[in-house]
Amino acid sequence: MSNYQYIFTEIDDAVGKIILNRPEVLNALNRPMITELVNALETFNKNENIKVILLTANGRSFAAGADIKEMKEDDPIYLEKLDQFAEWDRMSLIKKPIIAAVQGYAVGGGFELVLSCDIVFAAENAKFGFPEVNLGVMPGAGGTVKLTKTIGPRKALEWLWTGEYFDAKKAYEYGLVNRVLPVEVLFDEAMAFAKKVATQPPLSIRLIKDTVTKAVDLSTYESMQYERKNFYLLFATDDQKEGMQAFVEKRQPIFKGK
Amino acid sequence: MYETILYKVKNKVAYLTLNRPDSLNAFNEIMNKEIVQALKIAEKDPSVRALVIQGAGRAFCSGEDLKSLDKNIDLGEIIKKRYTPMLKQIASFSKPIIASVNGVAAGAGFSLALACDFRIVSDKATFIQAFINIGLVPDTGNLFYLPKLVGTAKAIELSILGEKITAGDAEKYGLVTKVVPFDELESETENFAEKLANKPTKAIELIKNLIRKSYETRLDEFLEYEAYSQKIAGSTEDFKEGVQSFVEKRKPVFQGR
């Protein structure tokens, strides 16, 4: 529907789908691909009809890291000026839920992309890892930070230092993924979940994401203050009135996102 | 080409023959590797819908080649480097695996037979849980599978006594699918394997996974997985064919997709 080169997008009811589409290189993430991805996320973020974003990948693997050839000859000053990771900052400003469905390899930049999503469904054949250390570098798009905040410093260091890959089961045990599924049902189940979230009151969903994201970074006191403000704010919505009215009347609420 | 095994495909069945008859098909490093390679090829080959593991000559497999083993070596490293990858490859194999056991299956050779889905066994076959006799513990997944097949009490008995188990006893303990006369092992194995190769292959894979899950998960998780499995099975051509042939009162012809 849009003229992207490395991804494509689809709309299924209230779910906006973004599909990584460089299967011939296991969806290795080059810079223009990240830019396209962020543009697609922002487009869906602004589209009133889209309630949830589903990120998937075409082919055997989700995303096998960055395009190494692209960066092999780079020097620090060039990288500072290029500021490529600023694109990833834009990703963190997306207000709508982002659900990832991951099969095969999600390593390096691909793993960072997974860590940038809100909910992760993984196929049993999924493998995660940060092999950057084997190239004499380290993750640069938030990998070290987000992994640490998700699983704690000890496990994070083990993964980051060894560069080894971990399977979906282990990722599940460490709380990195929400669900592990046979690959054959991965997309259907992720879509079903996306559609379920899409029926929830959108402003609640939005402010819940906002508050949970803040809770990761702010102190308990600050995030509880923040939570409170968002809680109060939802009382300005029609959906709060409808939700509570429906509860009292013992019927199903009809949410409008207003 | 392989040095220590033979590999061929006939009538949808892959035959992996351990081929070091002079040492009763004892494992060495190359054989461990070649088994993994052959299993990977059979896994990817859509024309293969069942796999037989068998031994050339008198024996099925006599386990690790003790003669060429350095006594000062770290056995844990050998397990990790050579046997664990082989066992994992077998355990994750999606199609049915049949051990066709002609003669002795000792030590890791016994373990290999245990890791298969079926054991067609000649009346001359013997199993020996030999590890204890040289002061070691059963390896190559042996004690992962053995208690599940024969129960804890029998598994302890076999593992600690380390005595020879005849084909007849093995049958009594629930270790074997079928005992057949030695001369008929080859034809019985072929018939059995070809029967499996004509069944709905995807459903077989899903059944294997579900049984494995039954040891690993709680009931509610298992039931979720069961629903996924049935969804997948229900989307196969073979399911359509199964229903269609039932309605038409004829024998189904399953394509394995």
Side-chain angles (χ1 to χ4, degrees):
Chain A
M1 75 176 222
S2 303
N3 50 348
Y4 295 118
Q5 190 182 347
Y6 301 114
I7 64 169
F8 62 96
T9 61
E10 285 171 4
I11 293 175
D12 184 347
D13 291 341
V15 179
K17 256 177 99 174
I18 301 173
I19 300 114
L20 306 177
N21 193 31
R22 291 181 84 202
E24 67 283 359
V25 289
L26 302 179
N27 298 312
L29 303 167
N30 59 20
R31 288 159 188 154
M33 188 173 179
I34 291 291
T35 303
E36 286 187 5
L37 169 65
V38 177
N39 287 342
L41 285 168
E42 287 177 345
T43 304
F44 282 148
N45 200 40
K46 281 184 212 132
N47 182 336
E48 277 288 320
N49 300 319
I50 300 295
K51 305 282 191 288
V52 176
I53 300 164
L54 179 59
L55 178 60
T56 71
N58 201 359
R60 285 184 294 123
S61 275
F62 181 76
D67 201 326
I68 304 301
K69 284 190 212 108
E70 187 186 59
M71 65 173 85
K72 192 167 153 283
E73 305 298 335
D74 288 351
D75 65 71
I77 302 304
Y78 170 77
L79 286 171
E80 166 61 27
K81 287 180 174 167
L82 178 69
D83 198 17
Q84 60 173 337
F85 298 128
E87 301 286 48
W88 293 74
D89 298 338
R90 285 163 62 200
M91 222 180 289
S92 67
L93 299 175
I94 302 298
K95 300 264 188 175
K96 290 176 184 172
I98 308 174
I99 296 162
V102 181
Q103 80 281 20
Y105 289 101
V107 299
F111 192 12
E112 288 175 307
L113 188 51
V114 169
L115 289 166
S116 305
C117 295
D118 300 316
I119 297 272
V120 182
F121 279 25
E124 287 167 318
N125 70 6
K127 286 195 165 57
F128 304 88
F130 282 125
E132 283 86 343
V133 69
N134 300 323
L135 304 174
V137 288
M138 60 184 280
T144 40
V145 179
K146 285 178 180 155
L147 185 66
T148 304
K149 294 203 172 186
T150 312
I151 70 174
R154 275 183 230 298
K155 275 291 154 200
L157 285 170
E158 186 185 334
W159 289 28
L160 290 158
W161 278 343
T162 62
E164 283 172 8
Y165 294 164
F166 298 82
D167 63 16
K169 205 170 153 193
K170 196 159 255 183
Y172 178 77
E173 283 164 19
Y174 293 143
L176 277 167
V177 308
N178 294 76
R179 223 163 285 183
V180 181
L181 302 158
V183 67
E184 294 94 334
V185 300
L186 174 70
F187 300 113
D188 281 2
E189 291 296 317
M191 180 54 90
F193 183 83
K195 285 190 172 172
K196 188 175 167 187
V197 175
T199 64
Q200 305 283 62
L203 289 164
S204 293
I205 296 295
R206 187 184 183 97
L207 294 191
I208 288 168
K209 172 167 173 169
D210 181 37
T211 312
V212 168
T213 308
K214 283 285 189 298
V216 175
D217 288 335
L218 296 181
S219 71
T220 303
Y221 178 77
E222 286 169 304
S223 42
M224 285 179 72
Q225 295 300 312
Y226 195 82
E227 176 192 60
R228 214 160 291 170
K229 292 283 182 335
N230 275 341
F231 176 74
Y232 299 155
L233 184 55
L234 285 172
F235 280 75
T237 66
D238 291 349
D239 285 349
Q240 173 267 328
K241 285 161 190 75
E242 164 65 6
M244 292 190 175
Q245 190 62 33
F247 180 84
V248 171
E249 291 171 14
K250 293 179 181 166
R251 60 169 173 85
Q252 286 293 317
I254 300 160
F255 295 120
K256 298 219 169 69
K258 286 180 184 157
Chain B
M1 269 290 98
Y2 300 106
E3 197 179 308
T4 62
I5 65 167
L6 302 170
Y7 179 81
K8 67 162 185 184
V9 178
K10 187 182 139 195
N11 296 334
K12 302 171 209 159
V13 179
Y15 293 86
L16 194 169
T17 308
L18 311 178
N19 193 31
R20 298 183 72 217
D22 295 343
S23 62
L24 302 179
N25 303 317
F27 288 116
N28 59 18
E29 191 166 353
I30 300 170
M31 194 193 268
N32 291 124
K33 262 195 202 133
E34 291 188 338
I35 291 171
V36 172
Q37 283 168 12
L39 285 167
K40 281 186 180 165
I41 287 167
E43 178 70 59
K44 283 195 189 130
D45 184 348
S47 74
V48 170
R49 292 167 61 190
L51 179 122
V52 170
I53 299 180
Q54 58 192 8
R58 290 185 293 129
F60 177 70
C61 174
S62 59
E64 172 63 17
D65 196 341
L66 293 172
K67 272 177 264 154
S68 58
L69 197 67
D70 175 359
K71 305 294 171 295
N72 298 316
I73 209 156
D74 178 347
L75 291 179
E77 283 305 310
I78 293 197
I79 296 289
K80 280 194 216 165
K81 202 172 132 209
R82 290 174 41 196
Y83 286 93
T84 300
M86 180 181 82
L87 199 269
K88 281 190 174 173
Q89 197 66 42
I90 295 170
S92 68
F93 197 71
S94 69
K95 305 162 192 183
I97 307 189
I98 304 119
S100 177
V101 185
N102 49 340
V104 68
F110 184 28
S111 311
L112 176 64
L114 291 174
C116 295
D117 301 316
F118 301 92
R119 281 152 294 278
I120 304 289
V121 168
S122 98
D123 52 8
K124 289 191 182 152
T126 52
F127 298 94
I128 311 173
Q129 189 73 315
F131 302 90
I132 189 78
N133 300 330
I134 54 168
L136 293 181
V137 300
D139 60 31
T140 319
N142 189 298
L143 291 181
F144 186 81
Y145 294 109
L146 189 63
K148 296 184 173 79
L149 288 166
V150 303
T152 303
K154 203 41 125 184
I156 285 193
E157 191 186 314
L158 298 177
S159 303
I160 293 178
L161 295 180
E163 289 167 357
K164 191 189 276 184
I165 308 160
T166 63
D169 282 342
E171 187 174 33
K172 212 165 60 191
Y173 302 154
L175 274 173
V176 310
T177 311
K178 194 177 180 187
V179 180
V180 301
F182 180 79
D183 294 336
E184 293 166 25
L185 179 65
E186 199 179 326
S187 61
E188 287 276 354
T189 300
E190 270 189 29
N191 289 343
F192 187 77
E194 286 177 18
K195 186 164 91 177
L196 296 180
N198 286 298
K199 286 182 179 290
T201 309
K202 191 71 198 180
I204 293 179
E205 174 187 346
L206 295 165
I207 288 168
K208 286 172 62 160
N209 288 343
L210 278 167
I211 289 175
R212 194 162 48 230
K213 288 268 174 206
S214 77
Y215 290 105
E216 295 171 359
T217 52
R218 293 174 293 125
L219 180 64
D220 55 352
E221 230 173 278
F222 179 88
L223 292 175
E224 213 170 74
Y225 200 79
E226 181 188 271
Y228 297 141
S229 301
Q230 203 65 296
K231 175 179 171 146
I232 297 164
S235 67
T236 60
E237 294 288 321
D238 285 345
F239 168 62
K240 286 193 199 100
E241 166 64 8
V243 173
Q244 190 68 23
S245 65
F246 180 81
V247 171
E248 292 168 10
K249 294 184 177 152
R250 59 171 173 83
K251 278 203 160 177
V253 181
F254 295 119
Q255 305 293 332
R257 2 173 237 274

